[in-house]
């Protein structure tokens, strides 16, 4: 038995003593924690531990620290950059937060909610709604992602335009540090400038600097009248111009402004059941827009008047306003269902980039100009939150060519993004998938500071050690 | 000549070589940098240096590091916690950012603006307005505070309810680190999850971890119709209930919800010229509310209807809606002029606390219950942004008793805030004034991490070394 095997064995037996045998999983029971939702990445865990309280998380982290065993924190396992599953070594331990799923308190008067980190996002949304409030973080995976993972990855989603990223919705955090210390920063105050805002360090750090065990979230006013528009357009330039025009009229009442390609719409309505195109024609581009306010009436009339003018002025080709919750749901199902639909057609090479809003047409045009060079059987699947400059420029490729084509396609895409001074990860994070890609893209002083933070907060490399940033090169 | 005197002398002469003699100030020229706006704190600078570019800031910091001389970064010198002026030793050097006052670019399509850190806040507001956008940070000192100081202190102000603190408005930063390295984090992207969000470290760090030299700011949609209400109320409970009620109706269209006491209103209208009470009677409490949206019309009618109902239901005693920009300006002048007005009456013991919104009446009542114990000539002057739970619970005391009364009054106030689990610095920061007060109030793990961050980023204690947090106690 090697030293490491002995350490793993000791860890497991002590973890069983602390958590109970039913909360230390191996073999088949561990399997679902070892690969991502889309089965694009997989690894092998020494075991999966499922602490049920902050004290148990702290005890497990202290135990891992004592045995020098790396932990991989995992929430709902819906990440897309291989940051929440173990590597292939079989020597990392998954620390699942699934059991930490209690809503601890809701304070509608103060517009806050305090939750454990394993609560599913949709349940937080529901609890806010029951208190006549809105928790505005919303994304495709909301039915299975967990808030700790949203916080650890600073998740974005479809409402960033109005409400910001996850970071903007976090008022307080409870963190377990790499030595097992509990850092309680859970104050539910809107304003608290008493020293460095330490919680910011952990938001978006992908489980590499500390483990989120609880959070106080900011709630916002409920939306009592919502208007959902689906418009057909000829070009991406028209979409960007339309965004500027509508933003000028509706201001921050616009919560979502989603661009969808004809390919994405047709894939969704043909591959998924019960969907039909909201407008008659298969326009080259479609936008899905959502407006809302706290009043109960009056916005729809304003929207109708504006849409009428847009038609008259030729700014849009076609368009409709959802007249029922079913219609609205179908529009969103087309938007969110593109990934599932295209996964039935081929392998989806995913990306998540930001450029300046006005550079979106250029980015799409450039990719369209060269995608054929990689083969005639590759489809471009761009969609995204263009009000934030964030495009998921995906490629649908024949399954058998996926491993050959994915790296060069992404390399070409990222070089376009670099030329436009954009970001190669808008909202998905770095994980392992993009870890080495940021090294050449970030200033040396930034990488140096990232490494120093990692070394300071996790000197023994216990927390997700091969994710986001590697240790400083040995000299 | 001592070693330190020699070092200071060498620093000055090298600084003169680098910046020119007219940008290294001493004696009378340095005086205005040595005390705060209200003359409540003062110190003595070895000299004041005024670099005019990021490169010059970097050179000065490197020079200070080489000579082990502490620098005190200063923006508009409007801080209230003694964090931007030198100590009394005459051995600290003020690094003034006043000359770094250029707006570098405005991008209305992307809703961003990039500025040097010495630009005055009001000029940023004006530049945004000229681009048909809004930069929503707004506070009493906006005519003289500078954006670098707003960022370094994570300033709050009157629009936090809708738009958040300064932190929420910063997309990118350029920082000079303690060794003179320039850390360029200026990307103007709305979404960029490529690694740790390092800029967060520096926002609110009060010049102790790095010096802000430039920032990319987030702009928001312009407000085309603004409705400003002034309402008279009997109790603070009524004010909190009114906030909940109006928030329920208007949601995030409310940008400001300011509570003002009768004492504050009467002080302003009697001590300042050209002001009169917006409502006929001197109600015990007044609230100033501002609503706005991007549309050009329709909000006033909605507000009028709501106010009518409030009267009918007896929720308010009196009220008016500003019908001109002059009326609106007068309402705000009363709100913002309370400090100036009461400074003519006595010495103002200032504070800046947050409690849960629903605890505001309790906090006011408790302070009212004991303020008389400190003397019959002390007036309570509570005002603030109660929608955020943020109250400036000030005390107006006879000038000659100020130094005796200020410490016990604040101690008593803070013990009330502690009991309500609030914050002793909502938006003003820590500076030197509250540095020792946070030590007993923050978790040991948080203080430890703050000290580690300070030691990591400023190992030689060059940057504002006696502000926010002291070095770890020697063991």
């Amino acid at each position: 038995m090697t030293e490491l095997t002995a350490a793993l064995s000791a860890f497991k037996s002590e973890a069983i003593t602390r958590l109970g045998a039913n909360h230390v999983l191996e073999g088949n029971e561990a399997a679902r924690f070892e690969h991502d939702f889309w089965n694009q990445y997989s690894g092998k865990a020494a075991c999966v531990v499922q602490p049920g309280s902050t004290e148990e998380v702290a005890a497990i982290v202290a135990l891992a620290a004592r045995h020098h065993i790396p932990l991989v924190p995992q929430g709902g396992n819906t990440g897309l950059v291989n940051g929440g599953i173990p590597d292939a070594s079989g020597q990392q331990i998954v620390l699942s937060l699934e059991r930490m799923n209690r809503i601890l308190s809701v304070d509608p008067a103060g517009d806050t909610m305090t939750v454990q980190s394993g609560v599913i996002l949709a349940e937080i949304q529901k609890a806010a709604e029951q208190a006549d409030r809105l928790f505005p973080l919303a994304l495709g995976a909301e039915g299975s992602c967990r808030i700790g993972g949203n916080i650890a990855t600073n998740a974005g989603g479809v409402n960033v335009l109005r409400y910001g990223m996850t970071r903007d919705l976090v008022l307080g955090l409870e963190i377990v540090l790499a030595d097992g210390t509990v850092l309680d920063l859970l104050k539910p105050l809107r304003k608290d400038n008493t020293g460095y805002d330490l919680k910011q360090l952990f938001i978006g750090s992908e489980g590499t600097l500390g483990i989120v065990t609880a959070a106080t979230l900011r709630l916002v006013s409920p939306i009592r009248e919502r208007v959902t528009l689906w418009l057909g357009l000829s070009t991406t330039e028209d979409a960007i111009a339309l965004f500027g025009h509508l933003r000028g009229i509706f201001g921050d009442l616009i919560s979502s402004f989603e661009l969808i390609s004809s390919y994405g719409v047709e894939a969704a309505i043909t591959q998924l059941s019960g969907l039909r195109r909201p407008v008659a024609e298969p326009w080259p581009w479609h936008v899905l827009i959502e407006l809302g306010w706290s009043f109960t009436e009056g916005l729809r009339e304003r929207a109708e008047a504006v849409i009428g003018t847009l038609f008259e002025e030729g700014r849009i080709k076609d368009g409709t306003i959802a007249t029922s919750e079913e219609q609205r749901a179908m529009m969103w199902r087309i938007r969110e269902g593109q990934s599932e639909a295209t996964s039935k057609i081929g392998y989806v090479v995913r990306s998540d980039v930001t450029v300046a809003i006005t550079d979106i047409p250029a980015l799409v045009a450039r990719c369209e100009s060269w995608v054929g060079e990689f083969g005639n059987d590759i489809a471009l699947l761009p969609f995204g939150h263009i009000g934030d400059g964030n495009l998921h420029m995906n490629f649908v490729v024949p399954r058998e060519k996926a491993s050959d084509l994915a790296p060069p396609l992404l390399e070409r895409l990222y070089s376009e993004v670099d030329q436009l001074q954009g970001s190669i990860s808008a909202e998905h994070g770095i994980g392992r998938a993009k870890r080495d890609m940021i090294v050449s893209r970030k200033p040396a002083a930034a990488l140096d500071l990232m490494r120093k933070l990692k070394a300071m907060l996790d000197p023994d490399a216990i927390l997700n050690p091969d994710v986001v940033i590697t240790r400083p090169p040995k000299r």
Side-chain angles (χ1 to χ4, degrees), chain A residues 124-142:
Chain A
I124 294 174
Q125 294 169 340
K126 208 188 306 167
E129 209 178 310
Q130 283 164 0
D132 195 28
R133 292 293 179 276
L134 173 70
F135 184 63
L137 183 65
L139 50 145
E142 62 197 26

Side-chain angles (χ1 to χ4, degrees), chain A residues 260-275:
Chain A
I260 313 170
S261 70
S262 184
Y263 176 83
V265 173
E266 300 307 309
I269 63 177
T270 55
Q271 299 292 327
L272 306 178
S273 67
L275 299 182

Side-chain angles (χ1 to χ4, degrees), chain A residues 176-328:
Chain A
V176 173
L177 299 175
D179 62 357
T181 303
V182 178
L183 180 60
D184 180 356
L185 307 169
L186 269 185
K187 281 201 169 186
L189 305 174
R190 289 294 297 273
K191 296 167 88 170
D192 183 15
N193 272 351
T194 53
Y196 308 151
D197 190 359
L198 300 173
K199 67 177 179 289
Q200 303 296 341
L201 277 171
F202 304 97
I203 300 170
S205 72
E206 304 187 33
T208 64
L209 301 181
I211 299 177
V212 178
T213 48
T216 299
L217 305 171
R218 186 163 76 83
L219 305 178
V220 301
S221 294
I223 296 298
R224 300 215 177 79
E225 185 186 14
R226 197 187 303 274
V227 180
T228 309
L229 308 166
W230 185 287
L231 307 176
L233 301 168
S234 297
T235 67
T236 51
E237 284 83 357
D238 288 350
I240 300 302
L242 183 67
F243 172 71
H245 184 76
L246 293 181
R247 179 88 157 166
I249 295 169
F250 293 101
D252 51 16
L253 301 183
I254 304 178
S255 52
S256 302
F257 197 99
E258 299 288 311
L259 179 73
I260 313 170
S261 70
S262 184
Y263 176 83
V265 173
E266 300 307 309
I269 63 177
T270 55
Q271 299 292 327
L272 306 178
S273 67
L275 299 182
R276 55 191 170 69
R277 196 186 310 114
V279 291
E281 300 290 317
W283 299 103
W285 297 94
H286 302 249
V287 289
L288 171 58
I289 304 168
E290 210 154 81
L291 313 170
W293 62 14
S294 298
F295 301 128
T296 52
E297 45 64 44
L299 189 56
R300 188 184 173 87
E301 290 68 24
R302 287 184 185 258
E304 282 170 349
V306 169
I307 296 303
T309 311
L310 291 177
F311 268 116
E312 282 165 29
E313 293 174 353
R315 285 177 187 269
I316 57 175
K317 298 296 175 190
D318 202 352
T320 184
I321 302 185
T323 54
S324 67
E325 189 49 44
E326 288 67 38
Q327 277 199 339
R328 174 181 177 244

Side-chain angles (χ1 to χ4, degrees), chain A residues 35-42 80 85 343 347-350:
Chain A
H35 63 87
D36 72 313
F37 177 80
W38 295 105
N39 252 314
Q40 296 197 341
Y41 304 104
S42 65
L80 297 171
I85 54 174
S343 292
Y347 180 97
V348 183
V349 180
R350 282 161 218 287

Side-chain angles (χ1 to χ4, degrees), chain A residues 25-95:
Chain A
L25 314 178
E26 294 184 84
N28 282 347
E29 282 192 317
R32 71 183 174 94
F33 301 88
E34 297 176 324
H35 63 87
D36 72 313
F37 177 80
W38 295 105
N39 252 314
Q40 296 197 341
Y41 304 104
S42 65
K44 179 80 196 116
C47 65
V48 177
V49 290
Q50 298 194 293
S53 66
T54 300
E55 295 67 34
E56 288 187 356
V57 174
I60 291 295
V61 175
L63 190 58
R66 200 159 69 242
H67 293 291
H68 294 284
I69 293 172
L71 294 172
V72 179
Q74 188 182 98
N77 195 11
T78 61
L80 297 171
V81 289
N82 196 12
I85 54 174
D87 69 10
S89 68
Q91 294 166 355
Q92 296 187 328
I93 286 168
V94 172
L95 189 158

Side-chain angles (χ1 to χ4, degrees), chain A residues 161-184:
Chain A
L161 196 52
R162 179 167 186 170
Y163 299 106
M165 305 282 279
T166 301
R167 183 183 303 278
D168 301 297
L169 302 171
V170 174
L171 293 175
L173 284 185
E174 182 188 70
I175 302 283
V176 173
L177 299 175
D179 62 357
T181 303
V182 178
L183 180 60
D184 180 356

